[in-house]
Amino acid sequence: MTLKLRSVGASDRGLIRSGNQDAQHAGPWLVAVADGMGGMAAGDLASRIAIDAIAPLDVETPEDALVAALQGAIEQATVGIRRAVEEDPERQGMGTTLTALLFARTGSCLALAHVGDSRAYLFRDGVLKQVTRDDTFVQMLVDQGLITPDQASSHPRRAVVTQALQGDQVSPAYATMVPRPGDRWLLCSDGLSNVVRADTLTEVLGERLERDACAARLIDLALRAGGPDNITVVIADVVEE
């Protein structure tokens, strides 16, 4: 039996924003979430450039080429965003987060790439773990022991991102992991994670709803919490086939 990735993605504008600056990809080998910033037109463009750069990786990839493939796609996205700003100086400051997971063709390994404050969570054996670390000012304060994670969730500067894809040099985090049958991954923009608590995410993921129903449930919870931002969710299951 070989391990496979089965995924679904969903996105909602939310209740406050006039448009949706998020973008996502949910395929058989690759899942990704990008949250654009820098004004409606520019943020929407930045997240789309990032997803367009990484989407071609949704093919069978050898285990030893996963991280290099992600690095190349992020470099391509960076160049694309830089060119977009050069074409229109009013786009200066535009950027996007990117969190992506690439599954090896053998099913024996996966690689994760991350920059910004979108998140990847792994639900395994009834336990939810946040695998990515937020590139934010408040996470830096938490790391330094100056505030607690609970204080970070309500801190007035919680939306300040310390790095994102903006056309400049960036230092994404990369990791590789060994998948297990039954793993359920959640990739999301902060429109979900800022308003729905981790214990609630654990509860919903533990219900083992179908992927599309799970994504819809999470978006509904974010909307019920006020939906102040765009909400994007990708649910990806590791299954035996």
Side-chain angles (χ1 to χ4, degrees), residues 3 29 60-63 66 102-111:
L3 296 183
W29 304 102
E60 295 187 15
T61 304
E63 180 178 328
L66 295 176
L102 182 60
F103 207 70
R105 68 183 179 194
T106 58
S108 59
C109 184
L110 60 83

Side-chain angles (χ1 to χ4, degrees), residues 212-223:
D212 54 355
C214 183
R217 173 80 174 124
L218 292 172
I219 287 176
D220 182 62
L221 287 170
L223 292 171

Side-chain angles (χ1 to χ4, degrees), residues 24-35:
Q24 54 88 14
H25 179 94
W29 304 102
L30 172 80
V31 291
V33 167
D35 179 355

Side-chain angles (χ1 to χ4, degrees), residues 24-25 34 52 64 73 91-92 110 114 130 134 136 147 161-162 189 194 201 210-211 220 239:
Q24 54 88 14
H25 179 94
D52 285 350
D64 59 2
R91 294 171 177 160
Q92 188 68 42
L110 60 83
H114 170 76
Q130 181 183 333
D134 294 346
T136 59
I147 63 173
V161 176
T162 53
S189 62
N194 276 351
L201 298 179
E210 291 295 323
R211 287 179 286 277
D220 182 62
V239 300

Side-chain angles (χ1 to χ4, degrees), residues 18-232:
S18 60
N20 194 340
Q21 299 184 65
D22 289 356
Q24 54 88 14
H25 179 94
W29 304 102
L30 172 80
V31 291
V33 167
D35 179 355
M37 61 193 76
M40 186 53 231
D44 176 70
L45 177 61
S47 62
R48 178 46 52 195
I49 288 172
I51 293 298
D52 285 350
I54 206 162
L57 301 188
D58 199 359
V59 294
E60 295 187 15
T61 304
E63 180 178 328
D64 59 2
L66 295 176
V67 172
L70 289 168
Q71 289 172 328
I74 286 178
E75 289 171 5
Q76 183 179 337
T78 297
V79 170
I81 291 171
R82 184 187 309 132
R83 286 175 177 165
V85 173
E86 290 170 352
E87 290 169 5
D88 184 352
E90 290 190 5
R91 294 171 177 160
Q92 188 68 42
M94 85 173 192
T96 183
T97 71
L98 181 65
T99 300
L101 185 156
L102 182 60
F103 207 70
R105 68 183 179 194
T106 58
S108 59
C109 184
L110 60 83
L112 191 71
H114 170 76
V115 59
D117 64 350
S118 297
R119 290 182 177 178
Y121 294 91
L122 172 60
F123 184 75
R124 173 183 283 176
D125 298 332
V127 177
L128 182 70
K129 178 183 179 182
Q130 181 183 333
V131 179
T132 52
R133 174 190 174 278
D134 294 346
D135 290 321
T136 59
F137 175 73
V138 293
Q139 183 61 54
M140 191 168 58
L141 296 180
V142 171
D143 292 345
Q144 294 171 355
L146 299 175
I147 63 173
T148 67
D150 278 347
Q151 289 171 326
S153 65
S154 58
H155 195 281
R157 297 189 67 189
R158 64 186 179 277
V160 177
V161 176
T162 53
Q163 70 166 354
L165 300 181
Q166 293 183 287
D168 301 321
Q169 194 68 33
V170 69
S171 299
Y174 297 97
T176 57
M177 296 180 65
V178 177
R180 292 186 195 169
D183 285 351
R184 172 162 279 192
W185 285 87
L186 162 64
L187 273 61
C188 65
S189 62
D190 64 349
L192 177 71
S193 55
N194 276 351
V195 296
V196 179
R197 292 174 55 90
D199 55 354
T200 303
L201 298 179
T202 302
E203 181 181 328
V204 174
L205 293 170
E207 292 173 356
R208 282 293 171 181
L209 300 169
E210 291 295 323
R211 287 179 286 277
D212 54 355
C214 183
R217 173 80 174 124
L218 292 172
I219 287 176
D220 182 62
L221 287 170
L223 292 171
R224 289 172 181 269
D229 201 352
N230 305 146
I231 310 150
T232 298

